[in-house]
Amino acid sequence: MTETLLDPMALEDAVTLPTYSKPPVALVRGQGTHVWDTEGREYLDFYGGHCVALLGHCPPRVVEAIREQAGELLFYSNAVYSPVRAEAAQALVDLAPDTLNRVFWCNSGTEANEAALKLARAVTGRSRVVAFSDGFHGRTLGALAATHGDKYHAPYRAVLPETTWVPFGWEGAVEEALQGEDVAALILEPMQSMAGITEARPDFYRAIREICDRTGTVLIFDEVQTGVGRTGTFLYGEHVGVTPDLVTLAKSLGAGVPVGAVLVNDAIAATVKAGDQGTTFGGGMLAMAAVHATLRQLADENLMARSLELFDRIADGLRAVDGVVEVRGRGCLIGVQLDREARPVVGALREAGVIV
């Protein structure tokens, strides 16, 4: 190996697929709101690695729970019972709305969306999915079919399940699309993150809940980014007064440990039998220890209310900055529209020690 390849950035570029365009920074340590690179430079982190580090980096309660669990039982599949898995599931349903009383554990957001779409098709006996323009639900084939955009679909179009697209925020289009007797599910991000932190009117969410009830369509909220208290309530749906049939979670759920989950309502849960779903690593002990510690800290320290305070503080400061056109979002999911191209601003902030 040459001396050049000993550099971690050059080595990673040499031996991994180039699926991300990365800034010239190699991070090695994190604590709270800050991270440090290989050169010892400190950054204030407003990104959290795709909205994952909800409690900051290396939160002590989560780190200790992981360390303790790793010394007792690192992993066993969910073919056996597990106290830590049971505790994590109970903590999750305690924070969720009353009708979402069952959990399916998996490993990521796209897996959670795959499982939710499968459950919807199984319980309805229908096949077609309705999703929203500019929505993003993951990159595995089933979830990818509900992710909008030709740049995602082009190489795989021939094998993607059928999806009908409707404009986000227009209940009339939803009403029309759900008239067919073959529609299994309506899936949406209640706040469209990749589309620029876009929200609809509160009555839109209530309208689509009513339409789904009337047409027998399963309503899925993809709360992979909005959930786990990030937007001020445990689920965004609580903010608008809507409880979907299925909710998908990941990212913040393990405070940095890979984990995903589907919250399932009682009616759908009653139709599931042994063998209908499966996962090897979903519900593994290490992830469950992280989830349980994360959820306990979220509740014990009233961090959901804290996220709303942070939004007000950050948004007020941003609105006073020259070049800021609009601040969008809720809680700790914030989008900033500028009057100029964003990429150079992101780069300049990084040079100043701030990651966005």
Side-chain angles (χ1 to χ4, degrees), residues 10 13-14 78 80 85 95 114 117 127 136 144 224 244 248 288 295 344 347:
D13 285 341
N78 58 23
V80 301
R85 186 186 305 122
L95 287 168
E114 292 274 354
L117 291 167
S127 60
F136 186 93
L144 181 65
V224 168
T248 58
M288 295 297 95
L295 296 180

Side-chain angles (χ1 to χ4, degrees), residues 24 30 34 37 46 113 133 157 159 199 201 220 237 251 255-257 269 277 286 290 292 328 330 338 352:
H34 292 77
D37 67 15
F46 277 91
N113 285 326
S133 300
R157 192 173 291 110
V159 295
E199 298 176 84
R201 310 176 321 277
I220 304 170
K251 294 193 183 292
V257 173
Q277 297 287 338
L286 202 65
H292 189 238
R328 302 175 186 168
R330 178 177 167 83
L338 306 177

Side-chain angles (χ1 to χ4, degrees), residues 300-316:
D300 292 348
E301 299 181 12
N302 197 26
L303 295 181
M304 290 180 276
R306 172 68 171 158
S307 77
L308 298 176
E309 296 170 4
L310 287 170
F311 179 87
D312 290 340
R313 180 178 176 185
I314 293 167
D316 286 347

Side-chain angles (χ1 to χ4, degrees), residues 33 44-46 306-321 324 327-328 331-336 356:
T33 56
L44 180 61
D45 185 14
F46 277 91
R306 172 68 171 158
S307 77
L308 298 176
E309 296 170 4
L310 287 170
F311 179 87
D312 290 340
R313 180 178 176 185
I314 293 167
D316 286 347
L318 285 168
R319 291 182 183 116
V321 174
V324 172
V327 181
R328 302 175 186 168
C332 289
L333 190 57
I334 302 171
V336 184
V356 298

